């Protein structure tokens, strides 16, 4: 089997880290990096420290409007599909790189395979929600991280034969990285952060970064925390802080640092008293690492983490953020929500069984 894997943005490198090892045991993988993320700390660091193979193709699409960024992905990925003739094109998550690959693959004879399928925020103002829905409905094989995600897909009329509940590949990644991060990362010493005594925060959603009222409400609430707050700043957020002339003001109250590599981030998340985030992946990773999460949004795709008490939706509301920062962690046992850490091998096993039976080859 020959698989073309498409990555482009930070969370996809982490997911690819989990899948590539299982895939390359017995199969040929061609790796394509769209170049949606390109700064060293948003891209190269993940390949270097996680041993992700060097991409075979680099499209270099860079930053642009949604339409142009997605279109550049479609054109570049189509050319690679034509040249490589893979059996399957594997895409992760919900970025513009995901959608670009989905459009290109769904019009080729390769199967389109969507990892992290069936997630919904039911907020169509999020570009990711549109990307998810379109990708799921174009895909031939849908890998859902949970039973609920599978039910969502069934509820949208997608055929059962396409849907496979395999668990979450980011759980696989965390299991592979947590101990290594404890040994290898020096970030706590570097930043002089006492384990269990600081708050970790990440903010990068346009809804939060592009609305100055929301951005300042969140950062002010974090600055009021009793504990030190460390914020690895996403480049989108860095740009907004600079545009607003607020960077130095917040740097006096919060530990603003550049984005960190995965091992350092896992170490920070593992050792943090709380995490406040609008990231999708970080909500899950917090759950896996037993760190109580405050989600700086009105809704989430990862609803199970909220229902079991390990995640609280606090929006950009200062009072709810303050309450969440001091609320006790949930007690009692934690449910197993997103599989058993073997999602990647399950994915490969399903793909080995071949194309989905209902697949109809497109005419040339
Ligand atoms: C993208 C994804 C989002 C995902 C996030 C992960 C879409 C629509 N959004 O959002 O789902 O959660 O990645 O981090 O696909 N920039 C740099 N250097 C880089 C990359 C970006 O400076 O290496 C800056 C540019 O100014 C760019 C901005 O960040 O315009 C936003 O980057 P972009 O990839 O468009 O969206 P993200 O906010 O990163
Ligand atoms: N991450 C990282 N360094 C950081 C922030 C995040 O390595 O400074 C990792 C994090 O562990 C997770 C992924 O990047 O695996 C999440 O990416 P992001 O929050 O940018 O995207 P989302 O998951 O919201 O799409």
């Amino acid at each position: 089997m020959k698989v073309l894997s498409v990555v482009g943005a930070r969370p996809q490198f982490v997911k690819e880290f989990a899948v590539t090892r299982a895939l390359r045991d017995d199969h040929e993988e061609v790796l394509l990096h769209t170049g949606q993320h390109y700064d060293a700390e948003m891209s190269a660091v993940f390949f270097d420290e996680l041993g992700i193979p060097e991409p075979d193709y680099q499209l270099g699409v860079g930053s642009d409007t949604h339409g142009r960024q997605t279109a550049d992905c479609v054109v570049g990925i189509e050319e690679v599909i034509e040249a490589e003739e893979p059996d399957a094109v594997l895409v992760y998550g919900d970025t513009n790189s995901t959608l670009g690959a989905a459009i290109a693959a769904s019009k080729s004879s390769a199967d389109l395979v969507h990892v992290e399928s069936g997630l919904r925020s039911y907020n169509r103002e999020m570009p990711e929600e549109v990307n998810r829905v379109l990708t799921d409905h174009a895909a031939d094989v849908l890998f859902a991280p949970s039973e609920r995600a599978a039910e969502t897909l069934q509820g949208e009329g997608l055929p059962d034969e396409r849907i496979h509940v395999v668990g979450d590949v980011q759980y696989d990644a965390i299991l592979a990285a947590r101990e290594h991060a404890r040994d290898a990362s020096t970030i706590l010493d570097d930043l002089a952060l006492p384990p269990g005594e600081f708050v970790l925060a990440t903010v990068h959603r346009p809804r939060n970064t592009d609305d100055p009222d929301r951005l300042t409400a969140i950062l002010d609430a974090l600055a009021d925390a009793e504990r030190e707050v460390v914020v690895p700043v996403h480049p989108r957020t860095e740009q907004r802080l600079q545009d607003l002339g607020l960077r130095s003001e917040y740097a006096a109250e919060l530990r603003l640092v550049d984005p960190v590599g995965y091992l350092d981030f896992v170490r920070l998340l593992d050792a943090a008293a709380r995490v406040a985030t609008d990231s999708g992946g970080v909500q899950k990773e917090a759950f896996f690492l037993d760190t109580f999460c405050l989600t700086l949004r009105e809704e989430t795709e990862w609803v199970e983490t909220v229902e079991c008490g390990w995640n609280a939706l606090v929006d950009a509301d200062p009072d709810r953020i303050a309450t969440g920062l001091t609320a006790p962690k949930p007690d009692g046992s934690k449910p197993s929500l997103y599989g058993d850490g073997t999602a990647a091998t399950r994915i490969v096993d399903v793909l080995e069984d071949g194309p989905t039976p209902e697949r109809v080859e497109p005419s040339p």
Side-chain angles (χ1 to χ4, degrees):
M1 178 172 61
K2 182 173 181 179
V3 176
L4 173 65
S5 299
V6 177
V7 296
R10 175 165 70 182
Q12 292 162 339
F13 310 139
V14 173
K15 295 166 195 177
E16 170 68 10
F17 158 63
V19 172
T20 187
R21 296 172 303 167
L23 198 51
R24 289 189 188 220
D25 271 350
D26 287 316
H27 302 283
E28 183 183 357
E29 183 187 42
V30 177
L31 182 56
L32 183 153
H33 186 331
T34 66
Q36 178 171 349
H37 285 174
Y38 44 85
D39 288 345
E41 67 265 25
M42 295 296 287
S43 175
V45 64
F46 295 88
F47 287 81
D48 293 346
E49 71 176 13
L50 299 178
I52 302 167
E54 190 73 20
D56 301 285
Y57 294 90
Q58 294 266 11
L59 298 188
V61 301
S63 304
D64 215 322
T65 62
H66 285 275
R68 279 198 288 258
Q69 191 178 54
T70 308
D72 287 348
C73 290
V74 177
V75 172
I77 294 164
E78 183 179 66
E79 282 173 11
V80 174
I81 293 173
E82 281 170 5
E84 293 286 347
E85 300 184 340
D87 301 301
V89 177
L90 196 150
V91 303
Y92 299 101
D94 53 21
T95 71
N96 288 344
S97 297
T98 313
L99 179 60
I103 293 171
S106 60
K107 298 188 178 194
S108 78
S109 59
D111 268 0
L112 171 61
V113 178
H114 189 202
V115 176
E116 206 180 81
S117 180
L119 279 299
R120 297 290 180 268
S121 66
Y122 299 104
N123 175 358
R124 288 285 174 109
E125 285 178 20
M126 286 180 77
E128 294 83 1
E129 182 75 354
V130 177
N131 293 345
R132 286 180 202 121
V133 171
L134 295 178
T135 302
D136 280 339
H137 283 256
D140 301 291
V141 187
L142 299 156
F143 287 118
S146 66
E147 290 295 341
R148 184 187 301 238
E151 285 161 17
T152 299
L153 294 167
Q154 286 158 348
E156 292 179 8
L158 290 163
D160 281 352
E161 317 85 80
R162 288 188 205 167
I163 304 167
H164 307 271
V165 179
V166 291
D168 192 280
V169 294
Q170 272 179 297
Y171 187 33
D172 298 20
I174 281 281
L175 292 180
R178 176 168 48 183
E179 292 309 319
H180 183 33
R182 282 181 183 161
D183 293 340
S185 170
T186 59
I187 189 94
L188 297 181
D189 288 342
D190 297 346
L191 297 178
L193 293 167
E197 292 301 328
F198 65 93
V199 174
L200 176 65
T202 76
V203 183
H204 76 274
R205 297 274 161 219
R207 168 114 174 99
N208 286 332
T209 60
D210 297 5
D211 177 340
D213 290 341
R214 287 182 66 90
L215 184 60
T216 53
I218 289 168
L219 295 180
D220 287 344
L222 293 173
D224 285 343
E226 281 172 16
R227 295 185 169 106
E228 187 162 19
V229 180
V230 58
V231 190
V233 185
H234 187 285
R236 174 191 286 281
T237 318
E238 177 70 37
Q239 191 62 53
R240 296 297 177 274
L241 285 175
Q242 288 185 12
D243 292 347
L244 293 166
L246 292 174
R247 199 194 189 282
S248 50
E249 182 184 315
Y250 282 114
E253 300 182 285
L254 302 164
R255 291 289 290 279
L256 304 183
V257 299
D258 287 341
V260 298
Y262 182 64
L263 293 179
D264 283 342
F265 194 81
V266 168
R267 187 72 197 105
L268 286 171
L269 189 53
D270 196 19
R274 295 282 183 281
V275 61
T277 188
D278 58 11
S279 162
V282 175
Q283 292 175 61
K284 278 182 292 179
E285 291 171 343
F287 175 78
F288 298 143
L289 293 170
D290 300 341
T291 301
F292 184 66
C293 182
L294 314 183
T295 293
L296 303 161
R297 291 173 44 192
E298 291 138 303
E299 77 290 300
T300 180
E301 311 71 64
W302 303 102
V303 279
E304 302 92 343
T305 60
V306 175
E307 287 168 356
C308 72
W310 281 85
N311 188 1
L313 295 173
V314 296
D315 199 6
D317 182 326
D319 292 336
R320 283 153 71 191
I321 294 171
T323 305
L325 286 173
T326 52
K329 268 192 191 187
D331 43 16
S333 66
K334 246 181 30 171
S336 168
L337 297 180
Y338 302 118
D340 60 3
T342 61
T345 50
R346 289 170 193 265
I347 285 169
V348 174
D349 287 349
V350 170
L351 293 180
E352 279 171 354
D353 288 343
T356 46
E358 78 284 5
R359 171 87 185 163
V360 177
E361 296 299 323
S363 49

